[in-house]
Structure formats: C-alpha cells, structure tokens
Amino acid sequence: MAPTPADQRVHDDGRVELDPADVRSLEGSRFFNEELAPVPVEKRTWTTYNYFALWMGMAHNIPSYALAASLIALGMNWVQALITITIGNLVVLVPMLLNSHAGTKYGIPFPVFARAFYGLRGANLAALLRAFIACGWFGIQTWVGGEAIYVILGRLLGSWWRDSPVVAGQHWTLWLSFVVFWIGQLLIIWRGMEAVRRFENWTAPLVSVGFLIMLGYVLVKAGGLGPILSDGGKLGWGPDFWKVFAPSLMAMIAFWSTLSLNMPDFTRFGGSQRKQVRGQILGLPTTMTFIAIVAILTTSGGHVLYGEDIWDPAQLADKFSSPVVVVVALVALVLATISANLAANVVSPSYDFSNAFPKRITFAVGGGITGVIGILIQPWRLYSDPNIYIFAWLGFYGGLLGAVAGVLVAGYWVTARTKLRLKDLYTPDGVYWFSGGWNWRALVATLVGAVLAVGGAYGGPFPDSGLIPFLKPLYDYNWVVGFVGAFVVFAALSVSANKEEASERRPSRIDPAAVDG
C-alpha cells in the first residue's frame, strides 16, 4: 500500500486535504480552478439530512414518475413493476456508494476523481460522456416541467392558451412554457452550488405533495385500491414478462447510473463518510420506492378511469375534472422537477465542462452550456414514446456509463486501494499524467465494456438484428455487461502493469564471482 504523501493532511476520520500553501501553488496549473479544487475539511458540512433531502429532491420528479408508470404502459402489473424498480435501485446504489467514498475522503468532484485512472486529459472522455447525457436529461426534465406549466395555465386561462396555433409541431404556448421553465432554472444555477443546496433543502419536504394529491384523486374516483390492484397486467408471469423484465431492469439502473458516477460532486461536501452513506441509503431506495408506488397506483387508477395507460403525469392530470386539483398538484410537480434537474443534470455537467477548460469555463458557464445543449438535443422526441424512453435512450447510455463505472470502481478499490495523491490530480508533473495525459488501460477497458454492452443495440433507432448481431443478447443486460467487462479488463491490465513496474524496480542479483574476478 502506497504511503500517504507528505503534502496531504489526514484527519482522524480519514478525510484528506492539502495544506493551503500547496493549494495556492496549484493556481497556475491549467488543470486547476476554484470549482475543481479540493474542498477544505472545514467546508465539508453536508449532513445526513442534506443527502436525504438531495435524494428526495432528485427522485421526486416527473421523469421518475414516468419511469415507473411506463412499466405499467408496457404491460406489467403493479407487483412486477415494483419488483423491477426496487431491484434496480438496490443494484445501482452499490457503485454509487463505492464512487462516493472518494468525494468525501478527498473533497474532489467526479471529473478530478476520474483523472486518477483516465489521466489528466483522458478524464475528459469520461466527464464529457457523462456531461452530454446530463444535457439530454436536462432537456427532458425541462420539457416535462414546461408541459406542466402549460397545463396549469391552460386550466387558469382557458382555451385561447390551450388551443393556440401550432408551431413546429407544438402549440406556441407550450414552447413559451418550455422557455420560461428553462430560464428559471438557469437563474438558480448561475448563483452557484450553495444556491442549489438551499433550494434542495426547502423544496424537499414539498415535492411529494403533488403526487399524493394526484393519487388521492384517482383513488377516490376509481373507488379505492380494489379495482386498481385487481388489474393483472398484460404480460403475466411467463416468457412475455421475462422478455421485458431484463431490459426494463437495466433501464431502472441506467436512470441513476449517471449519479453513480458523479456523486463525488456532492459527497465532496460531506461531513463524514457515515453521514453521506447513511443519507444516501435512507434517501435513494426509500424515495424511489415511494415515487414508484405512487406512479404505479396512479397510472393503474388512470387506466380504470379512462381506459388507457397515461404514463405522463401532466397529461393524466389534464384529464381531471377539478381545476383546483390540477393546479395544486402540478405546481408541486414543477417545483419537484426544478429541484431534480438542478441537482442531477446541471451540477455534474457544469463541473465536467469546467474540467475540459478549467481556465475558461466556470461552474455557471458550464451550467449555461448544459442548458443550450439540452435544447439542441430535442428532448420532446426522446420523451415521446415509452419504448424509445426505456429501450433506446436509457438502455444505450446505461451501457456506456456502466463501462466508465467499472473502470472507476476497479481503479479506486482494487488498484489504488482508496489511496490517491491529491496534488498530482492537478499537475502534469504527477503520477496521473501517464502518457501525455492519457491512461491507455482505462481507454481500452472502457471501449471493451462499451462494445460488449451496446454493440448489440436493437429496437427504436437501431436495427432489429442489432448493430453487431452476435452481441444482441447482451444488450438486454447492457449496464451489467458494461460494468463487469470494463472492471475485469482494467483490473487485469493494471495488475499486470504493477507487476512489471515492481520487477523493474527490483535490484538485479549480482554474481559475487564476477565481482571478484
């Protein structure tokens, strides 16, 4: 095990920081800025509640609801949908906690953490891959939030708003709602990470209100739980269910696979490992199970009432006869969606874009870039169909990010044994420069894991036979395949490299007879 570098201060609870003088010495490095700098221990103040509130804010939003509701739309009954979601959340919690450890221990965000294994330049591959996916999610969340505003104002202002002329396939008032929602979020992120934390804290207790109001309304109108729970779904428990179960489970994992990479962006502020671990264990499984139950019951109740599976909560609420219920419920959902979008889809890419150009892109500018790309990706198309949403969007990017997660977990826990040289993460003079700033082992492992995971992609925009036909069976297990494949390859290559380095450092044995002669 490598000794702790002399310039690192290790506290009794295991958290590590640099001396202030060493931090100042890094300010001239092109790989350093204030947003990426390690957080001093005295500023790592987030508590268990902060992390619980963070997860409540991130999990209780319209796409989380739609994720669970889409399983009902695909033909599952409420038991099958709940089992699928619960297993997925428990699986993704493991790499999330493993990667979170580095953030709390060293006070570093995800892109800086990735430098330890991809190299100071190579980390941009992992960071920008994560960033562009976050941009897509930012766009989706903004679209559904704007849709909720459109429905709310339609109930208050009448038909002139709801039935406005169509422009580019949508009512111009819907486009306006989308833009207003987009601007409101950027105004918050422009004020920095502390503004995000405060917003999460005060919205966390409120975000459940809208979903509970919708559920209560549906239960009353449907005559209680009986008619809802009696629906056996369309798939049964035979081959039809298992054919849908595997890719749906991967989609549940993929939904939070982004956060399984970049949780160090938040845990770098953790008061201790115990606080962040406890907050996340209390936060993710409980909040996602809650929203899943609400979504499943509400969507099933909507089927009883309206004869169709409406997986978008804004569209379902729009069918309610009570304007008061619609407005109150959707206002709460709008707040929930802002909370989730800021935490899950703006914080990470802001750091990631800043990592690419530390001297030019600040946290706020990175957030602005995220917002622009989030529009260009046309989120209304990604969100238009549950098959595209789950099997194409979630499935494909889940496999890619699974490969990155495999490299990080193998690198931090197997190769480095949680020991990092903090100062070297910011300077090309350190051990993480590798070869020109790139670690070829991480690149090979990521490529192998990604090809195995998504090479057989099929359905939606992909050919029915799969991009690479013989890999098609693996695509149904994309995240797991990507994670395991990259983990094994990176660990094997790193162990082999360590043995070679140890052999080179070992002094050669000298024949005494040759010396005497």
Side-chain angles (χ1 to χ4, degrees), residues 380-448:
W380 47 92
R381 297 184 185 277
L382 294 177
Y383 195 67
S384 62
D385 185 299
N387 288 288
I388 296 174
Y389 183 55
I390 286 184
F391 299 129
W393 168 243
L394 289 173
F396 192 85
Y397 89 65
L400 297 179
L401 295 191
V404 176
V407 169
L408 296 181
V409 172
Y412 185 65
W413 291 95
V414 177
T415 305
R417 305 291 179 89
T418 76
K419 298 288 186 180
L420 300 180
R421 294 180 178 271
L422 194 48
K423 191 174 180 179
D424 287 5
L425 292 169
Y426 298 91
T427 172
D429 299 327
V431 297
Y432 304 121
W433 187 243
F434 296 105
S435 178
W438 297 81
N439 183 1
W440 68 268
R441 297 173 187 85
L443 300 181
V444 169
T446 303
L447 179 63
V448 171

Side-chain angles (χ1 to χ4, degrees), residues 265-459:
D265 293 343
F266 303 98
T267 60
R268 65 192 299 225
F269 302 102
S272 69
Q273 294 289 1
R274 181 181 180 185
K275 289 176 182 178
Q276 65 91 358
V277 169
R278 187 166 55 186
Q280 292 199 75
I281 291 176
L282 290 174
L284 172 59
T286 56
T287 53
M288 276 301 290
T289 300
F290 170 81
I291 194 61
I293 292 173
V294 170
I296 290 165
L297 295 179
T298 305
T299 306
S300 299
H303 180 84
V304 172
L305 292 176
Y306 307 113
E308 56 181 318
D309 295 316
I310 306 173
W311 65 297
D312 185 329
Q315 294 181 13
L316 178 60
D318 196 26
K319 289 184 172 289
F320 295 170
S321 59
S322 170
V324 174
V325 171
V326 174
V327 171
V328 173
L330 291 185
V331 165
L333 296 188
V334 165
L335 289 175
T337 302
I338 294 175
S339 176
N341 220 11
L342 293 179
N345 304 315
V346 177
V347 171
S348 174
S350 295
Y351 285 132
D352 297 337
F353 289 128
S354 180
N355 183 72
F357 302 99
K359 296 302 182 184
R360 298 181 180 180
I361 300 179
T362 64
F363 181 84
V365 172
I369 294 173
T370 302
V372 172
I373 297 177
I375 292 178
L376 296 178
I377 206 167
Q378 301 183 55
W380 47 92
R381 297 184 185 277
L382 294 177
Y383 195 67
S384 62
D385 185 299
N387 288 288
I388 296 174
Y389 183 55
I390 286 184
F391 299 129
W393 168 243
L394 289 173
F396 192 85
Y397 89 65
L400 297 179
L401 295 191
V404 176
V407 169
L408 296 181
V409 172
Y412 185 65
W413 291 95
V414 177
T415 305
R417 305 291 179 89
T418 76
K419 298 288 186 180
L420 300 180
R421 294 180 178 271
L422 194 48
K423 191 174 180 179
D424 287 5
L425 292 169
Y426 298 91
T427 172
D429 299 327
V431 297
Y432 304 121
W433 187 243
F434 296 105
S435 178
W438 297 81
N439 183 1
W440 68 268
R441 297 173 187 85
L443 300 181
V444 169
T446 303
L447 179 63
V448 171
V451 170
L452 291 175
V454 303
Y458 68 93

Side-chain angles (χ1 to χ4, degrees), residues 152-218:
I152 292 170
L153 293 179
R155 285 302 180 101
L156 296 176
L157 301 178
S159 60
W160 76 266
W161 177 272
R162 295 176 57 86
D163 301 326
S164 62
V166 173
V167 177
Q170 305 290 346
H171 294 285
W172 72 263
T173 47
L174 176 54
W175 288 122
L176 178 61
S177 301
F178 173 61
V179 171
V180 168
F181 194 77
W182 180 83
I183 292 173
Q185 293 174 104
L186 290 189
L187 289 177
I188 296 174
I189 201 64
W190 202 258
R191 300 184 64 181
M193 187 65 181
E194 184 61 21
V196 173
R197 186 185 70 85
R198 290 196 301 268
F199 189 86
E200 296 292 333
N201 282 345
W202 75 263
T203 57
L206 301 176
V207 294
S208 306
V209 173
F211 293 124
L212 289 176
I213 290 173
M214 290 180 61
L215 176 59
Y217 182 88
V218 166

Side-chain angles (χ1 to χ4, degrees), residues 118 129 133 247 249-258 260-261 390-407 445-457 462 474-487:
Y118 282 89
L129 178 63
I133 291 169
L249 177 62
M250 294 303 105
M252 300 305 111
I253 296 171
F255 189 78
W256 290 121
S257 66
T258 51
S260 73
L261 296 183
I390 286 184
F391 299 129
W393 168 243
L394 289 173
F396 192 85
Y397 89 65
L400 297 179
L401 295 191
V404 176
V407 169
T446 303
L447 179 63
V448 171
V451 170
L452 291 175
V454 303
F462 307 114
L474 296 181
Y475 187 63
D476 286 345
Y477 308 91
N478 41 63
W479 184 89
V480 171
V481 170
F483 179 88
V484 173
F487 182 100

